[in-house]
């Protein structure tokens, strides 16, 4: 049995198979994603586990080259953006209009779902 790091087998496996320029999306339940993409639902109840808590654990095992967020986070959840910024340190973060963010995720995931 795994003792340290991410003990969720699905997340650990996905991270172990990431290659240069691959993308992993951490999002709440409202983000639409293609059916062809692997989805790992961690929800126990609304808000549990929390977004920042989940991101913090994922980052213990993953190197991030660049992050993308919806610009809505700047006004709707600035504390979450501040937490992301703190967790990512010097990693570049690009903000996209919300609709463009959803399209970007959809396009990327639809065209890179072979893994």
């Amino acid at each position: 049995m795994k003792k340290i790091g991410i003990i969720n087998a699905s997340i650990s496996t996905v991270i172990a198979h990431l290659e240069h320029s691959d993308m992993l999306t951490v999002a709440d339940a409202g983000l639409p994603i293609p059916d062809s993409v692997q989805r790992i639902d961690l929800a126990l109840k609304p808000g549990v586990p929390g977004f920042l808590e989940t991101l913090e654990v994922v980052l213990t095992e993953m190197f991030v080259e660049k992050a993308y967020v919806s610009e809505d986070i700047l006004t709707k959840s600035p504390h979450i953006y501040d937490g992301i910024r703190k967790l990512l340190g010097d990693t570049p973060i690009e903000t996209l209009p919300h609709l463009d963010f959803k399209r970007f995720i959809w396009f990327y995931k639809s065209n890179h779902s072979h893994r």
Side-chain angles (χ1 to χ4, degrees), residues 8-21:
N8 179 293
S10 298
I11 296 173
S12 187
T13 299
V14 166
I15 292 172
H17 288 95
L18 288 174
E19 297 177 1
H20 180 70
S21 79

Side-chain angles (χ1 to χ4, degrees), residues 23-36:
M23 184 186 305
L24 175 75
T25 303
V26 178
D28 65 13
L31 184 67
I33 60 170
D35 290 335
S36 61

